């Protein structure tokens, strides 16, 4: 019985000490709230997202958040699709620039139309 009473008193002292440390906090006040974990590598706000941005993106793990393998697979697919899109856009822009240059070259090579109505 004495041992049980000793354990109850010891438990009460520990609970009181922890409560005073957390709530009272002395000169510094209560303990500050923990900052939530955020992404280490943010996506760029001032330019389009590139393949390298997606490859470097990492999410902080959470107890009940997500399965890392699933997110990594999704990010891998998104990165590949962005790279394919960027390559296709570059090909189309190069083809358009080539077509414009050819059209400009052809218009310079054609002689000016001569009208028979005009007299020298």
């Amino acid at each position: 019985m004495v041992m049980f009473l000793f354990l109850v008193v010891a438990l009460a002292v520990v609970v009181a000490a922890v409560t005073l440390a957390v709530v009272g906090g002395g000169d510094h006040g209560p303990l500050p709230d923990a900052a939530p974990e955020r992404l280490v590598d943010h996506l760029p706000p001032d330019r389009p997202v590139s393949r390298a941005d997606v490859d470097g993106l990492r999410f902080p793990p959470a107890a009940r958040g997500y399965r890392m393998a699933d997110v990594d697979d999704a990010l891998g697919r998104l990165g590949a699709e962005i790279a394919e899109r960027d390559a296709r856009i570059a090909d189309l822009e190069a083809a358009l620039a080539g077509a414009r240059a050819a059209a400009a070259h052809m218009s310079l090579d054609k002689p000016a139309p001569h009208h028979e109505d005009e007299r020298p």
Side-chain angles (χ1 to χ4, degrees), residues 10-73:
L11 180 64
V13 169
V14 169
V15 168
V18 170
T19 302
L20 286 175
V22 171
V23 175
D27 295 338
H28 302 291
L31 294 176
D33 291 333
E37 290 187 27
R38 297 285 183 221
L39 292 176
V40 174
D41 297 320
H42 298 283
L43 294 176
D46 56 341
R47 63 178 170 78
V49 176
S50 69
R51 170 71 191 253
D53 295 326
V54 175
D55 285 343
L57 189 62
R58 297 292 176 259
F59 294 97
R64 296 180 60 127
Y66 63 89
R67 290 183 40 163
M68 284 191 245
D70 293 342
V71 173
D72 290 342
D73 290 343

Side-chain angles (χ1 to χ4, degrees), residues 81-95:
E81 289 183 13
I82 288 172
E84 288 175 22
R85 180 207 60 196
D86 290 346
R88 180 70 176 147
I89 290 171
D91 289 345
L92 291 172
E93 286 176 345

Side-chain angles (χ1 to χ4, degrees), residues 93-109:
E93 286 176 345
L96 180 60
R100 285 183 178 162
H105 186 320
M106 295 213 25
S107 68
L108 291 176
D109 287 345

